[in-house]
Amino acid sequence: MRLVHHLAALATLLGTGSASVSVKYTGQAPTGYEVTFRYTNASAHKVQIAGGLLPFTDQFRTTPAFSAAYDPHDYRPGDFFVSGLNVNTTGNLGPQGNYTGFYMNNTGNGHWEWTAPFPSGTYSYAYIIDCDLGPRCATTEPGQVPGLTFYNDPENPPFQNDHLQFNHSIFQVPYDRQYQYDPALNLDFDFALPVPAGHQGKALAVNYSESVEASIVLIDSRETPANPTQASPGSTYPAKDIHDLALYLPPTYDSNCATPYPVLYLSHGGGGTAFDWPNLAKAFNIIDNLILSQWIPPTIVVCPAFYNLGCNDSGPIPDLMICVRENYLATLLPFIESTYRASSDPDQRAFAGLSLGSELTYEMYINATTHFGYFGHFSGARGPAASDTNTAGYISNISVAANPALASRGVFVGFGNFDIAFSDCRSLELALELAGVGFLSRFVPWGSHFWNTWQDTLWYFGRTALWKQRPFTVETARRGRVVY
Ligand SMILES: *[C@@H]1O[C@H](CO)[C@@H](O)[C@H](O)[C@H]1NC(C)=O
Ligand SMILES: *[C@@H]1O[C@H](CO)[C@@H](O)[C@H](O)[C@H]1NC(C)=O
Ligand SMILES: *[C@@H]1O[C@H](CO)[C@@H](O)[C@H](O)[C@H]1NC(C)=O
Ligand SMILES: *[C@@H]1O[C@H](CO)[C@@H](O)[C@H](O)[C@H]1NC(C)=O
Ligand SMILES: *[C@@H]1O[C@H](CO)[C@@H](O)[C@H](O)[C@H]1NC(C)=O
Ligand SMILES: *[C@@H]1O[C@H](CO)[C@@H](O)[C@H](O)[C@H]1NC(C)=O
Ligand SMILES: *[C@@H]1O[C@H](CO)[C@@H](O)[C@H](O)[C@H]1NC(C)=O
Ligand SMILES: *[C@@H]1O[C@H](CO)[C@@H](O)[C@H](O)[C@H]1NC(C)=O
Ligand SMILES: *[C@@H]1O[C@H](CO)[C@@H](O)[C@H](O)[C@H]1NC(C)=O
């Protein structure tokens, strides 16, 4: 193993004076916090802030196809943001809607500025220069619009990101109960804020292959991207026969520890990368908080990238997730367990993922059942479902009779009210119920198919399900904190 760089601990991104996004405590309405963006480009005629920075809506005016699209200046307690709504969205969200990002003020000499109040949350943003077509500026997926360039914030670059896939910068705003409290919805995301120094785990970018020694770079969110990656057909990224992953080692990690650490495998979704979870969800901050609050014991977290996609294209619809499952069992788990002080006991292994990664989690659950003790399905299982109650194609009492271990796993299902995977997850829950499998459910009342939902499901997965006593019963989530 080779340490390439030693860098400071994860930057907090909060109020850092030199950064061109600053989060300032104002102690005033509407949120108690104000965010100022500054951007310099002398040749630009028009600059918008978009990317994952979305307008707000509220629970009384949102549907699976409609967002009220309030400007942040009009924030009221209980407002939240949604994305990934039904493609027939009629509200002001792109690409069909009319959301055009937020226009920055030209303050002269090539300087652009924009200030707005924001409530608690983790936000990604990117700058769009001279984009003349409103709706095409709105998409959160740069790949959907050929020629559209997202410029990240040069003072606050994403770490270990693939420029070709996701070019957003990230910031976090704290919760202020005085201005943000809403009796109907809890929208406090402080569980994604950095924990105090000394309690932070290590974030690492790791390359691996079956035969080559790993090389490691400490991930720092202010580091220039050094390790582009993307979901790939076979092992072609970041280089031929090289795979990559993002790794979290808990603050007390000791490679000589007498007891190996439990490992959570945490998958991205379709079109994602190994670095999505730590970038866009601040997942390693969430794990730090779960450990510090003693919801879970010190745990290793592995965020892999899909590999071996296309191992079988002979069928009409090759099951990509079967390919990824086979690859992870053959290469990823052995690599992790031989390189780190990671447990190989199935009871100490968990698999979770979002969206297509949740379909992968389901594939692991039904067909690698005894390799893991816990499964976290975040927004997905079998792909689009016929209806909320159609359980055809999901687990049944017949599956359980053939594979009794299915009933003794720690199963958790999380999804949002405005989630494109709503029916998929409802069907999964009904199927689990009918098959007699104990499971835990987190329904996110403001949740869409987006990162804030998956931050919430990761947090509650850790609090209620991960490493808890199995099989799950009706009492499991009521037992409260297990002190480790
Ligand atoms: C500045 O804006 C121009 C478009 O007017 C763009 O081509 C250029 O790449 C931008 N430069 C930077 C540093 O973002
Ligand atoms: C979108 O609307 C069109 C026309 O009404 C319909 O044919 C299509 O199925 C809808 N798509 C979705 C995903 O709802
Ligand atoms: C979006 O713009 C189109 C064209 O100007 C308009 O017909 C439509 O009503 C707008 N939608 C919303 C939700 O404002
Ligand atoms: C834009 O500039 C005007 C004039 O200085 C100011 O009143 C306004 O608050 C600015 N808007 C934002 C969003 O920063
Ligand atoms: C990403 O952002 C950087 C820095 O602003 C810029 O140089 C690069 O062209 C952007 N890439 C894409 C694909 O938008
Ligand atoms: C991983 O491999 C890629 C491609 O060879 C390289 O650019 C990157 O720096 C490597 N990352 C690490 C952490 O060694
Ligand atoms: C490949 O996929 C086809 C169609 O789904 C299936 O019939 C075949 O058994 C698969 N082959 C392998 C080796 O998995
Ligand atoms: C489980 O895996 C085996 C071997 O890879 C494969 O033959 C089988 O079709 C898989 N079953 C499911 C339900 O994916
Ligand atoms: C599954 O449940 C159905 C309906 O409750 C029942 O008729 C059937 O015998 C069960 N099958 C097994 C294998 O337990």
Coordinates of all heavy atoms in Angstrom, one line a residue, residues 176-245:
D176 N -31.6 25.9 12.1 CA -31.9 26.9 13.2 C -33.4 26.7 13.6 O -34.3 27.1 12.8 CB -31.6 28.3 12.6 CG -31.8 29.4 13.7 OD1 -32.6 29.2 14.7 OD2 -31.1 30.4 13.6
R177 N -33.6 26.2 14.8 CA -34.9 25.8 15.2 C -35.8 27.0 15.3 O -37.0 27.0 15.0 CB -34.9 25.1 16.6 CG -36.1 24.4 16.9 CD -36.0 23.5 18.2 NE -37.1 22.6 18.3 CZ -38.3 22.9 18.7 NH1 -38.6 24.2 19.0 NH2 -39.2 22.0 18.7
Q178 N -35.3 28.1 15.6 CA -36.1 29.4 15.8 C -36.8 29.7 14.5 O -37.9 30.2 14.5 CB -35.2 30.5 16.2 CG -36.0 31.8 16.5 CD -35.1 32.9 17.0 OE1 -33.9 32.8 17.1 NE2 -35.7 34.1 17.1
Y179 N -36.1 29.5 13.3 CA -36.7 30.0 12.1 C -37.1 28.8 11.2 O -37.9 29.0 10.2 CB -35.7 30.8 11.3 CG -35.4 32.1 12.1 CD1 -34.1 32.3 12.6 CD2 -36.3 33.1 12.2 CE1 -33.9 33.5 13.4 CE2 -36.1 34.3 12.9 CZ -34.8 34.4 13.5 OH -34.6 35.6 14.2
Q180 N -36.6 27.6 11.4 CA -36.9 26.5 10.5 C -37.9 25.5 11.0 O -38.3 24.6 10.3 CB -35.6 25.9 10.1 CG -34.6 26.8 9.4 CD -33.3 26.2 9.1 OE1 -33.2 25.0 8.9 NE2 -32.2 27.0 9.0
Y181 N -38.2 25.6 12.3 CA -39.0 24.5 12.9 C -40.4 24.6 12.2 O -41.0 25.6 12.1 CB -39.2 24.8 14.4 CG -40.2 23.8 15.0 CD1 -39.9 22.5 15.2 CD2 -41.5 24.3 15.4 CE1 -40.9 21.6 15.7 CE2 -42.4 23.4 15.9 CZ -42.1 22.1 16.1 OH -43.1 21.2 16.6
D182 N -40.9 23.4 11.9 CA -42.3 23.2 11.4 C -42.9 22.1 12.1 O -42.3 21.0 12.1 CB -42.2 23.0 9.8 CG -43.6 22.8 9.3 OD1 -44.4 23.8 9.2 OD2 -43.9 21.7 8.9
P183 N -44.1 22.2 12.6 CA -44.7 21.1 13.4 C -45.0 19.9 12.5 O -45.1 18.8 13.1 CB -45.9 21.8 14.0 CG -46.2 23.0 13.2 CD -44.9 23.5 12.7
A184 N -45.2 20.1 11.2 CA -45.6 19.0 10.4 C -44.5 18.2 9.8 O -44.7 17.1 9.4 CB -46.5 19.5 9.3
L185 N -43.3 18.8 9.6 CA -42.2 18.1 9.0 C -40.9 18.5 9.7 O -40.6 19.6 10.0 CB -42.0 18.6 7.5 CG -43.0 18.2 6.5 CD1 -42.5 18.7 5.1 CD2 -43.1 16.6 6.4
N186 N -40.1 17.4 10.0 CA -38.7 17.7 10.5 C -37.8 17.8 9.3 O -37.6 16.8 8.6 CB -38.3 16.5 11.4 CG -36.9 16.7 11.9 OD1 -36.3 17.8 11.8 ND2 -36.3 15.7 12.5
L187 N -37.1 18.9 9.2 CA -36.2 19.1 8.0 C -34.8 19.6 8.6 O -34.2 20.4 8.0 CB -36.8 20.2 7.1 CG -38.0 19.6 6.3 CD1 -39.0 20.7 5.9 CD2 -37.6 18.8 5.1
D188 N -34.4 18.9 9.6 CA -33.1 19.2 10.3 C -32.1 18.2 9.7 O -32.2 17.0 10.0 CB -33.3 19.0 11.8 CG -32.0 19.2 12.6 OD1 -30.9 19.2 11.9 OD2 -32.0 19.2 13.8
F189 N -31.2 18.6 9.0 CA -30.1 17.8 8.3 C -28.8 17.9 9.0 O -27.8 17.6 8.4 CB -30.0 18.1 6.8 CG -31.2 17.8 6.0 CD1 -32.3 18.7 5.9 CD2 -31.4 16.6 5.4 CE1 -33.4 18.4 5.2 CE2 -32.5 16.3 4.7 CZ -33.5 17.2 4.6
D190 N -28.8 18.3 10.3 CA -27.5 18.5 10.9 C -26.7 17.2 11.1 O -25.5 17.3 11.4 CB -27.7 19.2 12.3 CG -27.9 20.7 12.2 OD1 -27.9 21.2 11.0 OD2 -28.1 21.4 13.2
F191 N -27.4 16.1 10.9 CA -26.7 14.8 11.0 C -25.7 14.6 9.9 O -24.9 13.7 9.8 CB -27.6 13.6 11.0 CG -28.6 13.6 9.8 CD1 -28.1 13.1 8.6 CD2 -29.9 14.0 10.0 CE1 -29.0 13.1 7.5 CE2 -30.8 13.9 8.9 CZ -30.3 13.5 7.6
A192 N -25.7 15.6 8.9 CA -24.7 15.5 7.8 C -23.6 16.6 8.0 O -22.7 16.7 7.1 CB -25.4 15.7 6.5
L193 N -23.7 17.4 9.1 CA -22.6 18.3 9.3 C -21.3 17.6 9.8 O -21.5 16.5 10.4 CB -23.0 19.3 10.4 CG -24.0 20.4 10.0 CD1 -24.5 21.2 11.2 CD2 -23.3 21.4 9.0
P194 N -20.2 18.2 9.7 CA -19.0 17.5 10.2 C -19.0 17.4 11.7 O -19.5 18.3 12.4 CB -17.8 18.5 9.8 CG -18.4 19.4 8.8 CD -19.9 19.4 9.0
V195 N -18.5 16.3 12.2 CA -18.4 16.2 13.7 C -17.1 16.9 14.1 O -16.3 17.2 13.3 CB -18.3 14.7 14.1 CG1 -19.6 14.0 13.8 CG2 -17.1 14.0 13.5
P196 N -16.9 17.2 15.4 CA -15.7 17.9 15.9 C -14.4 17.1 15.5 O -14.4 15.9 15.4 CB -15.9 17.9 17.4 CG -17.3 17.7 17.6 CD -17.8 16.9 16.5
A197 N -13.4 17.9 15.3 CA -12.1 17.3 15.0 C -11.7 16.3 16.0 O -12.1 16.4 17.2 CB -11.0 18.4 15.0
G198 N -11.1 15.2 15.6 CA -10.7 14.1 16.5 C -11.7 13.0 16.5 O -11.4 11.9 16.9
H199 N -12.9 13.3 16.0 CA -14.0 12.3 15.9 C -14.3 11.9 14.4 O -15.2 11.2 14.1 CB -15.3 12.8 16.6 CG -15.1 13.0 18.0 ND1 -15.1 12.0 19.0 CD2 -14.9 14.2 18.7 CE1 -14.9 12.5 20.2 NE2 -14.7 13.8 20.0
Q200 N -13.5 12.5 13.5 CA -13.8 12.3 12.1 C -13.0 11.1 11.6 O -11.8 11.0 11.8 CB -13.4 13.6 11.3 CG -14.1 14.8 11.7 CD -13.7 16.1 11.0 OE1 -12.7 16.1 10.3 NE2 -14.4 17.1 11.1
G201 N -13.7 10.3 10.8 CA -13.1 9.2 10.1 C -12.2 9.7 9.0 O -12.2 10.9 8.7
K202 N -11.5 8.7 8.3 CA -10.7 9.1 7.2 C -11.4 8.7 5.9 O -12.0 7.6 5.8 CB -9.4 8.2 7.2 CG -8.3 8.9 8.0 CD -7.0 8.2 7.5 CE -5.9 8.6 8.5 NZ -6.1 7.9 9.8
A203 N -11.4 9.6 4.9 CA -12.0 9.3 3.6 C -10.8 9.0 2.6 O -9.9 9.8 2.6 CB -12.8 10.5 3.1
L204 N -10.9 8.0 1.9 CA -9.8 7.6 1.0 C -10.4 7.2 -0.4 O -11.4 6.7 -0.5 CB -9.1 6.3 1.6 CG -8.6 6.3 3.0 CD1 -8.6 4.9 3.5 CD2 -7.3 6.9 3.1
A205 N -9.6 7.6 -1.4 CA -9.9 7.1 -2.7 C -8.9 5.9 -3.0 O -7.7 6.0 -2.7 CB -9.6 8.2 -3.8
V206 N -9.5 4.8 -3.4 CA -8.7 3.6 -3.5 C -8.8 3.0 -4.9 O -10.0 2.9 -5.5 CB -9.2 2.6 -2.5 CG1 -8.4 1.2 -2.7 CG2 -9.0 3.1 -1.1
N207 N -7.7 2.7 -5.6 CA -7.8 1.9 -6.8 C -7.5 0.4 -6.5 O -6.6 0.2 -5.6 CB -6.6 2.4 -7.8 CG -7.0 3.7 -8.5 OD1 -8.1 4.1 -8.5 ND2 -6.0 4.3 -9.1
Y208 N -8.1 -0.5 -7.1 CA -7.8 -1.9 -6.9 C -8.0 -2.7 -8.1 O -8.7 -2.3 -9.1 CB -8.6 -2.4 -5.7 CG -10.1 -2.6 -6.0 CD1 -10.6 -3.9 -6.3 CD2 -11.0 -1.5 -6.1 CE1 -12.0 -4.0 -6.6 CE2 -12.3 -1.7 -6.3 CZ -12.8 -2.9 -6.6 OH -14.1 -3.1 -6.9
S209 N -7.4 -3.8 -8.2 CA -7.7 -4.8 -9.2 C -7.4 -6.1 -8.5 O -7.0 -6.2 -7.4 CB -6.8 -4.6 -10.4 OG -5.5 -5.0 -10.1
E210 N -7.6 -7.2 -9.2 CA -7.5 -8.5 -8.5 C -6.0 -8.8 -8.2 O -5.8 -9.5 -7.2 CB -8.0 -9.6 -9.4 CG -9.5 -9.7 -9.3 CD -10.2 -10.4 -10.5 OE1 -10.3 -11.6 -10.4 OE2 -10.5 -9.7 -11.5
S211 N -5.1 -8.3 -9.0 CA -3.7 -8.7 -8.8 C -2.8 -7.5 -8.4 O -1.7 -7.8 -7.9 CB -3.2 -9.3 -10.1 OG -3.4 -8.4 -11.1
V212 N -3.3 -6.3 -8.5 CA -2.4 -5.2 -8.2 C -2.6 -4.6 -6.8 O -3.7 -4.6 -6.3 CB -2.6 -4.1 -9.3 CG1 -1.8 -2.8 -9.0 CG2 -2.4 -4.6 -10.7
E213 N -1.5 -4.2 -6.2 CA -1.6 -3.6 -4.9 C -2.5 -2.3 -4.9 O -2.4 -1.6 -5.9 CB -0.2 -3.2 -4.4 CG 0.4 -4.2 -3.6 CD 1.6 -3.6 -2.8 OE1 2.1 -2.6 -3.2 OE2 2.0 -4.2 -1.8
A214 N -3.2 -2.1 -3.9 CA -4.0 -0.9 -3.8 C -3.1 0.4 -3.7 O -2.0 0.4 -3.1 CB -4.9 -0.9 -2.6
S215 N -3.5 1.5 -4.3 CA -2.9 2.8 -4.0 C -4.0 3.7 -3.5 O -5.1 3.6 -3.8 CB -2.3 3.3 -5.3 OG -3.3 3.6 -6.2
I216 N -3.6 4.5 -2.5 CA -4.5 5.2 -1.7 C -4.2 6.7 -1.7 O -3.1 7.1 -1.7 CB -4.5 4.7 -0.3 CG1 -4.9 3.3 -0.3 CG2 -5.4 5.6 0.6 CD1 -4.9 2.7 1.1
V217 N -5.3 7.5 -1.9 CA -5.1 9.0 -1.7 C -6.1 9.4 -0.7 O -7.3 9.0 -0.7 CB -5.4 9.7 -3.0 CG1 -5.4 11.2 -2.8 CG2 -4.4 9.3 -4.1
L218 N -5.7 10.2 0.3 CA -6.7 10.7 1.2 C -7.6 11.7 0.5 O -7.1 12.6 -0.2 CB -6.0 11.5 2.4 CG -5.3 10.6 3.4 CD1 -4.9 11.5 4.6 CD2 -6.2 9.5 3.9
I219 N -8.9 11.5 0.6 CA -9.8 12.4 -0.1 C -10.0 13.6 0.8 O -10.2 13.5 2.0 CB -11.2 11.8 -0.2 CG1 -11.2 10.6 -1.1 CG2 -12.2 12.8 -0.7 CD1 -12.5 9.9 -1.2
D220 N -9.8 14.7 0.2 CA -10.1 16.0 0.9 C -11.0 16.7 -0.1 O -10.7 16.8 -1.3 CB -8.8 16.8 1.1 CG -9.1 18.0 1.9 OD1 -9.6 19.0 1.3 OD2 -8.8 18.0 3.1
S221 N -12.0 17.3 0.5 CA -13.0 17.9 -0.4 C -12.5 19.2 -1.1 O -13.1 19.7 -1.9 CB -14.3 18.3 0.4 OG -13.9 18.9 1.6
R222 N -11.3 19.6 -0.7 CA -10.7 20.8 -1.4 C -9.6 20.4 -2.3 O -8.9 21.2 -2.9 CB -10.2 21.8 -0.4 CG -11.3 22.2 0.6 CD -10.8 23.3 1.5 NE -10.5 24.5 0.7 CZ -11.5 25.3 0.3 NH1 -12.7 25.1 0.6 NH2 -11.1 26.4 -0.4
E223 N -9.5 19.1 -2.5 CA -8.4 18.6 -3.4 C -8.8 18.7 -4.8 O -10.0 18.4 -5.1 CB -8.1 17.2 -3.0 CG -6.8 16.6 -3.7 CD -6.6 15.2 -3.4 OE1 -7.4 14.6 -2.6 OE2 -5.7 14.6 -3.9
T224 N -7.9 19.0 -5.7 CA -8.2 18.9 -7.1 C -8.5 17.5 -7.5 O -7.8 16.6 -7.1 CB -7.0 19.4 -7.9 OG1 -6.6 20.7 -7.4 CG2 -7.3 19.5 -9.4
P225 N -9.6 17.3 -8.3 CA -9.9 15.9 -8.6 C -8.7 15.2 -9.2 O -8.1 15.7 -10.1 CB -11.0 16.1 -9.7 CG -11.6 17.4 -9.3 CD -10.5 18.3 -8.8
A226 N -8.4 14.0 -8.7 CA -7.3 13.3 -9.1 C -7.7 11.9 -9.7 O -6.8 11.3 -10.3 CB -6.3 13.1 -8.0
N227 N -8.9 11.5 -9.5 CA -9.2 10.2 -9.8 C -10.6 10.0 -10.4 O -11.5 9.6 -9.8 CB -9.2 9.4 -8.4 CG -9.4 7.9 -8.6 OD1 -9.2 7.4 -9.8 ND2 -9.7 7.2 -7.6
P228 N -10.7 10.5 -11.7 CA -12.0 10.4 -12.4 C -12.5 8.9 -12.4 O -11.7 8.0 -12.6 CB -11.6 10.9 -13.8 CG -10.3 11.5 -13.7 CD -9.6 10.9 -12.6
T229 N -13.7 8.8 -12.3 CA -14.3 7.4 -12.3 C -15.7 7.5 -12.9 O -16.3 8.5 -12.9 CB -14.3 6.9 -10.9 OG1 -15.0 5.6 -11.0 CG2 -15.2 7.7 -10.0
Q230 N -16.1 6.5 -13.5 CA -17.6 6.4 -13.8 C -18.0 5.0 -13.9 O -17.2 4.1 -14.1 CB -17.8 7.2 -15.1 CG -17.2 6.5 -16.3 CD -17.5 7.4 -17.5 OE1 -17.0 8.6 -17.6 NE2 -18.2 7.0 -18.5
A231 N -19.3 4.8 -13.8 CA -19.8 3.4 -14.0 C -19.4 3.0 -15.4 O -19.5 3.8 -16.3 CB -21.3 3.5 -13.9
S232 N -18.9 1.8 -15.5 CA -18.3 1.5 -16.8 C -18.6 0.1 -17.3 O -18.9 -0.8 -16.4 CB -16.8 1.6 -16.7 OG -16.3 0.6 -15.8
P233 N -18.6 -0.2 -18.5 CA -18.7 -1.5 -19.0 C -17.4 -2.2 -18.8 O -16.4 -1.9 -19.4 CB -19.1 -1.4 -20.5 CG -18.5 0.0 -20.9 CD -18.5 0.8 -19.6
G234 N -17.4 -3.2 -17.9 CA -16.1 -3.8 -17.6 C -15.2 -2.9 -16.9 O -15.6 -1.9 -16.3
S235 N -13.9 -3.3 -16.8 CA -13.0 -2.6 -15.9 C -12.2 -1.6 -16.8 O -11.0 -1.8 -17.0 CB -12.1 -3.6 -15.3 OG -12.8 -4.6 -14.6
T236 N -12.9 -0.6 -17.3 CA -12.1 0.3 -18.2 C -11.9 1.7 -17.5 O -11.2 2.5 -18.0 CB -12.9 0.5 -19.5 OG1 -14.2 1.0 -19.1 CG2 -13.0 -0.7 -20.3
Y237 N -12.5 1.9 -16.4 CA -12.3 3.2 -15.6 C -11.9 2.9 -14.2 O -12.4 1.9 -13.6 CB -13.6 4.0 -15.6 CG -14.0 4.6 -16.9 CD1 -14.8 3.8 -17.8 CD2 -13.5 5.8 -17.4 CE1 -15.2 4.3 -19.0 CE2 -13.9 6.3 -18.6 CZ -14.7 5.5 -19.4 OH -15.0 6.0 -20.7
P238 N -11.0 3.6 -13.6 CA -10.4 4.8 -14.2 C -9.3 4.5 -15.2 O -8.8 5.4 -15.8 CB -9.8 5.5 -12.9 CG -9.6 4.4 -12.0 CD -10.7 3.4 -12.2
A239 N -8.9 3.2 -15.2 CA -7.9 2.8 -16.3 C -8.2 1.3 -16.5 O -8.9 0.7 -15.8 CB -6.5 3.0 -15.8
K240 N -7.6 0.8 -17.6 CA -7.9 -0.6 -17.9 C -7.5 -1.5 -16.8 O -6.5 -1.4 -16.2 CB -7.1 -1.0 -19.2 CG -7.5 -2.4 -19.7 CD -7.0 -2.6 -21.1 CE -7.2 -4.0 -21.6 NZ -7.7 -5.0 -20.7
D241 N -8.4 -2.4 -16.4 CA -8.2 -3.3 -15.3 C -8.1 -2.7 -13.9 O -7.7 -3.4 -13.0 CB -7.0 -4.2 -15.6 CG -7.3 -5.1 -16.9 OD1 -8.4 -5.3 -17.2 OD2 -6.3 -5.4 -17.6
I242 N -8.3 -1.4 -13.8 CA -8.3 -0.8 -12.5 C -9.7 -0.4 -12.1 O -10.4 0.2 -12.9 CB -7.4 0.5 -12.6 CG1 -6.0 0.3 -13.1 CG2 -7.4 1.2 -11.2 CD1 -5.1 -0.3 -12.1
H243 N -10.1 -0.8 -10.9 CA -11.3 -0.4 -10.3 C -11.1 0.7 -9.3 O -10.0 0.8 -8.8 CB -12.0 -1.6 -9.6 CG -12.3 -2.7 -10.5 ND1 -13.2 -3.7 -10.1 CD2 -11.8 -3.1 -11.7 CE1 -13.3 -4.6 -11.1 NE2 -12.4 -4.3 -12.0
D244 N -12.1 1.5 -9.0 CA -11.9 2.4 -7.9 C -13.1 2.4 -6.9 O -14.1 1.9 -7.2 CB -11.6 3.8 -8.4 CG -12.7 4.5 -9.1 OD1 -13.8 3.9 -9.2 OD2 -12.5 5.6 -9.6
L245 N -12.8 3.0 -5.7 CA -13.9 3.0 -4.7 C -13.5 4.2 -3.8 O -12.4 4.6 -3.7 CB -14.0 1.7 -4.0 CG -12.8 1.1 -3.3 CD1 -12.6 1.7 -1.9 CD2 -13.0 -0.4 -3.1

